[in-house]
């Protein structure tokens, strides 16, 4: 259902419509329409307007909160939105009440990302963390290595294109921006489902370079190109109009070979917008809360790590939060 802030009678990332919702970011497992009032960063509200019809331009239905801005809620609760480094507009929410500080992270990562501000370590008494990749096997490689694999595949398979499956919000734009940082400045081709979100990122100051839609482009023009599509389009009829594509998938789950095989992925790219095991444990150590609450993901291993390092922790076992990386 989400996290209920009892003194203020508001919810954080609720799964059903409520009177007042504080939303950490725009992914569908955290953001939904239908709330009486939605409190989020301006970027998240714009994403929610695009995806779910939230009235971002209505002061009654939507309340934008900038990073670092503190707002007052009922019951003497204060809320501050702090960068989470997950996707455009993503925020941790710092709640202060009766001398206690609680941080709800939503989803977050610690790697540099040219499409959003970096995660900010903020001291608190209770730290509520995700654990999507909360197992020691999950250690994400440097993204420069994955970009090099992608560009090498393009060079080595002349006449083919590289078709990259990437989630439409966050992952696709990050892959594009990292390709630009790696020196690739040719046109990047987009599945139609990617266009509006990429344009929204550009409207918020994220430079993605030359992007064009695949629709109507002759097959020959896409040879040696890079095409970005939703993961669901990797092996459907749409992809058959491309020139012998090398199928790639950008996801933290590409660390698991069985997942790559299930999707018929030829080029697994281990690129995640979630913290890996080392980053999860590093973050808890840096924040150094009196207590850590683990909300969703691989809770047991992270809980055990907290116990072994003499840190008080508990698993909340929230349901309804899926991994948009998949």
């Amino acid at each position: 259902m989400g996290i209920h802030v009892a003194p203020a009678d508001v919810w954080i990332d609720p799964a059903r419509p409520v009177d007042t919702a504080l939303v950490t970011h725009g992914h569908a497992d955290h953001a939904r329409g239908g709330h009486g009032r939605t409190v989020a960063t301006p970027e998240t509200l714009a994403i929610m307007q695009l995806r779910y019809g939230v009235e971002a331009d209505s002061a009654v239905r939507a309340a934008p909160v900038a990073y670092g801005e503190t707002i007052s809620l009922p019951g003497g609760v204060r809320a501050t939105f702090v960068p989470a480094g997950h996707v455009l507009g993503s925020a941790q929410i710092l709640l202060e009440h009766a001398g206690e500080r609680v941080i709800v992270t939503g989803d977050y990562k610690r790697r540099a990302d040219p499409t959003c501000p970096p995660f900010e370590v903020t001291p608190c008494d209770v730290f509520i963390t995700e654990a999507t990749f909360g197992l020691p096997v999950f250690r994400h490689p440097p993204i420069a290595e994955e970009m090099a694999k992608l560009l090498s595949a393009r060079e080595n398979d002349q006449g083919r294109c590289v078709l990259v499956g990437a989630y439409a919000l966050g992952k696709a734009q990050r892959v594009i921006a990292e390709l630009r940082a790696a020196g690739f400045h040719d046109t990047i081709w987009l599945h139609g489902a990617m266009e509006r979100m990429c344009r929204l990122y550009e409207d918020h100051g994220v430079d993605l370079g030359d992007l064009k839609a695949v629709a109507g482009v002759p097959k020959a023009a896409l040879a040696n190109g890079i095409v970005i599509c939703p993961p669901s389009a990797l092996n459907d009829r749409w992809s058959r109009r491309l020139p012998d594509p090398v199928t790639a998938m950008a996801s933290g789950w590409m660390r698991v070979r069985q997942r790559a095989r299930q999707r018929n992925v030829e080029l697994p790219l281990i690129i995640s917008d979630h913290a890996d095991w080392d980053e999860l444990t590093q973050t808890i150590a840096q924040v150094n809360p009196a207590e850590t609450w683990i909300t969703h993901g691989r809770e047991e291993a992270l809980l055990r790590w907290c116990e072994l390092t003499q840190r008080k922790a508990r698993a909340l076992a929230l349901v309804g939060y899926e991994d948009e990386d998949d």
Side-chain angles (χ1 to χ4, degrees), residues 2 52 56 103 108 131 154 174 206 223 227 277 279:
Y52 320 118
I103 284 182
Y108 66 96
R154 174 181 173 270
R174 184 182 178 203
V206 179
V227 183
W277 173 259
E279 292 159 352

Side-chain angles (χ1 to χ4, degrees), residues 21-320:
L22 278 61
V23 177
T24 59
H25 67 282
H27 280 137
D29 56 339
H30 291 259
R32 291 168 170 81
H35 304 306
R37 191 161 185 253
T38 302
V39 183
T41 63
E43 296 87 350
T44 294
L45 288 174
I47 290 166
M48 292 179 69
Q49 183 176 34
L50 177 63
R51 302 185 103 194
Y52 320 118
V54 172
E55 298 177 33
D57 55 352
S58 167
V60 175
R61 299 294 299 278
V65 181
Y67 289 131
E69 181 181 353
T70 299
I71 61 170
S72 295
L73 300 171
V77 177
R78 289 158 46 90
T80 306
F81 283 61
V82 181
H86 179 56
V87 297
L88 180 70
S90 62
Q92 309 169 73
I93 300 176
L94 168 63
L95 302 168
E96 298 175 279
H97 178 257
E100 186 174 49
R101 292 163 57 93
V102 177
I103 284 182
V104 182
T105 59
D107 292 333
Y108 66 96
K109 69 173 178 292
R110 301 299 305 272
R111 307 293 175 98
D113 182 340
T115 70
C116 64
F119 180 95
E120 291 184 9
V121 174
T122 305
C124 62
D125 302 297
V126 178
F127 184 64
I128 304 179
T129 180
E130 62 141 316
T132 301
F133 291 106
L135 289 173
V137 68
F138 291 115
R139 289 182 163 92
H140 306 324
I143 195 167
E145 293 181 6
E146 304 307 287
M147 291 297 103
K149 286 163 55 177
L150 173 53
L151 292 172
S152 177
R154 174 181 173 270
E155 290 296 324
N156 294 337
D157 290 290
Q158 290 296 307
R160 304 177 71 184
C161 72
V162 181
L163 177 61
V164 184
Y167 196 73
L169 167 55
K171 185 66 60 63
Q173 295 78 25
R174 184 182 178 203
V175 168
I176 293 167
E178 292 288 358
L179 281 168
R180 301 310 189 195
F184 183 78
H185 299 298
D186 293 357
T187 299
I188 293 177
W189 302 93
L190 300 178
H191 184 285
M194 297 293 186
E195 287 189 83
R196 292 196 303 164
M197 190 60 68
C198 287
R199 301 309 176 195
L200 184 148
Y201 265 65
E202 291 175 327
D203 290 344
H204 285 83
V206 179
D207 183 9
L208 299 177
D210 183 28
L211 305 177
K212 291 180 181 175
V214 168
V217 176
K219 180 182 287 192
L222 300 172
N224 304 320
I226 295 175
V227 183
I228 312 291
C229 73
S232 60
L234 275 178
N235 298 298
D236 72 4
R237 292 175 60 185
W238 174 87
S239 66
R240 297 175 195 168
R241 62 184 306 275
L242 304 175
D244 190 18
V246 177
T247 56
M249 173 84 176
S251 169
W253 293 112
M254 291 297 98
R255 172 70 71 184
V256 182
R257 292 181 182 178
Q258 182 62 23
R259 295 239 183 173
R261 286 196 293 268
Q262 287 171 348
R263 289 186 174 272
N264 297 316
V265 170
E266 187 176 345
L267 179 65
L269 301 171
I270 306 170
I271 301 171
S272 177
D273 287 331
H274 296 264
D276 67 8
W277 173 259
D278 289 334
E279 292 159 352
L280 289 168
T281 56
Q282 172 197 40
T283 302
I284 294 170
Q286 289 177 339
V287 173
N288 196 27
E291 187 168 356
T292 299
W293 296 357
I294 307 165
T295 57
H296 58 283
R298 280 70 197 160
E299 300 165 349
E300 297 81 2
L302 196 56
L303 182 62
R304 180 60 176 157
W305 178 87
C306 288
E307 293 171 350
L308 291 173
T309 55
Q310 289 77 54
R311 299 178 186 276
K312 189 176 180 181
R314 57 181 291 203
L316 297 187
L318 295 184
V319 297

